[in-house]
Amino acid sequence: SELYHAQIHLYKHVYNFVSSMALKSAMELGIADAIHNHGKPITLDELASTLKLHPSKVNILYRFLRLLTHNGFFAKTTLKNKEGEEEIAYSLTPSSKLLVSGKPTCLSSIVKGALHPSSLDMWSASKKWFNEEKEQTLYECATGESFWDFLNKDTESDTLSMFQDAMASDSRMFKLALKENKHVFEGLESLVDVAGGTGGVTKLIHDAFPNIKCTVFDQPQVVGNLTGNENLNFVGGDMFKSIPPADAVLLKWVLHDWNDEQSLKILKNSKEAISHKGKDGKVIIIDISIDETSDDHGLTELQLDYDLVMLTMFLGKERTKKEWDKLIRDAGFSSYKISPISGFKSLIEVYP
Ligand SMILES: OCc1ccc2c(c1)OC[C@]1(O)c3cc4c(cc3O[C@H]21)OCO4
């Protein structure tokens, strides 16, 4: 009946965290590596001994694998053992292949970072957060400091490196996406990567397009003592004041960290930076573009999850197609083109 369907829907969402935590446990145990290194489907006993689990934990491992197999992270096959009996064996799926360490597609650091207590414990303060008028992130409301201050506190240095590893692993996925979007960068003589940090992504572009003069633009304390080469240089400054001129301005995962007023300022400064190129200049935005009407339900759910992660930790936001349209037009640009890139993000080419 409808009542019981509603109860199942409600309870499923209440216990979604169990699946997340089972995935985190699988990542911490190194199950994907053990199966990958085994080179063929692995039985429960072989896996338990590879993981050096106590014999009393074998059945617990089975229960975790059962849920994760049900949710598409492992595949179950049957093998005939030496006595000719059928035995269950587990193999990887495309999703768990993203947990195999050492590969450019390894996203374990995102699993580790996103499910770190610093991202979870703050939710116990949500009622307090809703009932105060002070504009701050849920994280600040819960801990009294910004997430950035927490990351940069030297006592938490492992969290900072975990965060940087997560950004780096997401950038490696961008390298694959770059191959599929060469046309966006072809013909450019120069590009400035705004809020490019220490240049992780800019280096990927520089490697793929060595003739483009790439500038990594970020706050002076971020790029201060970094040196590049003849076609990759670091410039310190304030993107809310002015952006160094180039044929193209790259804004990758930048605008989702800022509200509309701040984003408008960044876009207007970007338009100024490419103005010498007339019609040939462009701004390349890489961010989530939510399209609830046409996108797959699961994709939209991930994008709306990300919207709340950005809101609660950075007071940032993910934008819908309509919001991008308004922001781009308010900034004075004449046209733009949105195309999907690397899974759940979009590449928006904006023309003056
Ligand atoms: O655009 C920036 C950006 C991009 C991705 C992520 C950001 C911020 O913070 C939330 C997040 O879920 C997260 C939180 C973390 C972490 C990694 C991590 O990846 C996710 O390591 C420690 O805490």
Side-chain angles (χ1 to χ4, degrees):
S1 74
E2 189 185 75
L3 176 75
Y4 293 135
H5 273 105
Q7 183 185 24
I8 290 167
H9 178 247
L10 178 74
Y11 279 29
K12 185 193 172 309
H13 278 78
V14 165
Y15 293 104
N16 261 352
F17 74 92
V18 174
S19 184
S20 300
M21 289 303 149
L23 181 66
K24 183 182 176 185
S25 305
M27 179 272 293
E28 287 170 341
L29 284 170
I31 293 179
D33 284 339
I35 298 177
H36 174 73
N37 298 333
H38 191 68
K40 60 184 190 314
I42 194 168
T43 65
L44 184 66
D45 290 338
E46 287 167 337
L47 179 58
S49 63
T50 308
L51 298 177
K52 298 186 177 44
L53 293 186
H54 186 276
S56 66
K57 298 292 180 190
V58 176
N59 189 43
I60 291 175
L61 177 64
Y62 166 71
R63 307 267 285 276
F64 270 69
L65 288 171
R66 181 170 61 171
L67 172 62
L68 290 167
T69 300
H70 181 78
N71 285 349
F73 289 97
F74 298 110
K76 219 167 45 173
T77 55
T78 49
L79 290 182
K80 281 221 185 318
N81 64 18
K82 289 184 285 305
E83 295 76 38
E85 288 148 2
E86 293 218 322
E87 213 175 340
I88 290 176
Y90 296 93
S91 50
L92 296 178
T93 62
S95 309
S96 47
K97 281 176 184 162
L98 295 175
L99 298 177
V100 175
S101 49
K103 292 188 162 192
T105 52
C106 181
L107 295 179
S108 296
S109 52
I110 290 264
V111 176
K112 189 176 178 201
L115 294 175
H116 184 266
S118 59
S119 295
L120 307 179
D121 296 349
M122 65 181 180
W123 284 95
S124 55
S126 65
K127 187 159 186 275
K128 176 173 166 250
W129 184 49
F130 269 104
N131 292 311
E132 61 179 23
E133 68 273 7
K134 186 181 175 200
E135 188 181 6
Q136 63 177 351
T137 61
L138 170 59
Y139 185 84
E140 281 168 76
C141 177
T143 63
E145 61 179 354
S146 79
F147 184 66
W148 296 120
D149 291 344
F150 163 71
L151 279 185
N152 291 308
K153 245 169 28 184
D154 55 359
T155 48
E156 303 290 344
S157 59
D158 61 327
T159 320
L160 179 59
S161 54
M162 179 170 34
F163 184 81
Q164 288 167 337
D165 290 350
M167 296 306 106
S169 65
D170 218 42
S171 295
R172 280 194 297 272
M173 287 294 263
F174 176 72
K175 183 171 184 174
L176 303 173
L178 201 53
K179 286 194 177 66
E180 297 152 9
N181 292 278
K182 279 186 174 297
H183 61 283
V184 173
F185 298 90
E186 251 131 30
L188 294 177
E189 284 167 15
S190 59
L191 172 137
V192 57
D193 185 0
V194 174
T198 52
V201 166
T202 329
K203 287 186 185 104
L204 296 176
I205 295 170
H206 176 58
D207 293 347
F209 303 93
N211 299 326
I212 298 181
K213 190 169 172 26
C214 290
T215 299
V216 183
F217 181 65
D218 209 310
Q219 299 172 74
Q221 69 271 25
V222 173
V223 296
N225 54 3
L226 298 175
T227 53
N229 58 41
E230 77 291 342
N231 253 5
L232 173 68
N233 57 24
F234 293 85
V235 171
D238 178 352
M239 65 184 175
F240 291 105
K241 288 200 172 54
S242 79
I243 291 170
D247 292 359
V249 167
L250 176 63
L251 291 167
K252 180 170 173 291
W253 303 336
V254 174
L255 299 179
H256 77 153
D257 286 340
W258 304 101
N259 66 32
D260 291 347
E261 183 196 348
Q262 295 159 322
S263 298
L264 203 54
K265 190 78 194 113
I266 296 168
L267 280 173
K268 283 179 174 171
N269 289 344
S270 302
K271 191 164 186 291
E272 184 54 36
I274 62 172
S275 55
H276 66 283
K277 282 299 282 185
K279 283 289 163 215
D280 296 337
K282 68 172 133 181
V283 174
I284 303 161
I285 297 169
I286 294 178
D287 244 321
I288 283 176
S289 170
I290 301 168
D291 185 355
E292 296 191 63
T293 49
S294 62
D295 277 345
D296 155 74
H297 186 272
L299 169 63
T300 297
E301 180 176 354
L302 170 61
Q303 295 176 331
L304 297 176
D305 285 346
Y306 244 92
D307 179 55
L308 289 194
V309 167
M310 289 300 134
L311 167 67
T312 54
M313 298 179 80
F314 308 102
L315 277 185
K317 64 188 283 191
E318 301 301 351
R319 290 182 167 91
T320 63
K321 275 178 82 169
K322 266 206 296 291
E323 287 172 311
W324 282 119
D325 185 84
K326 177 169 178 8
L327 189 65
I328 289 166
R329 297 202 181 289
D330 289 353
F333 290 93
S334 63
S335 65
Y336 63 91
K337 187 170 72 180
I338 300 187
S339 45
I341 183 173
S342 77
F344 64 102
K345 297 182 191 87
S346 290
L347 186 147
I348 310 173
E349 286 182 82
V350 186
Y351 311 108

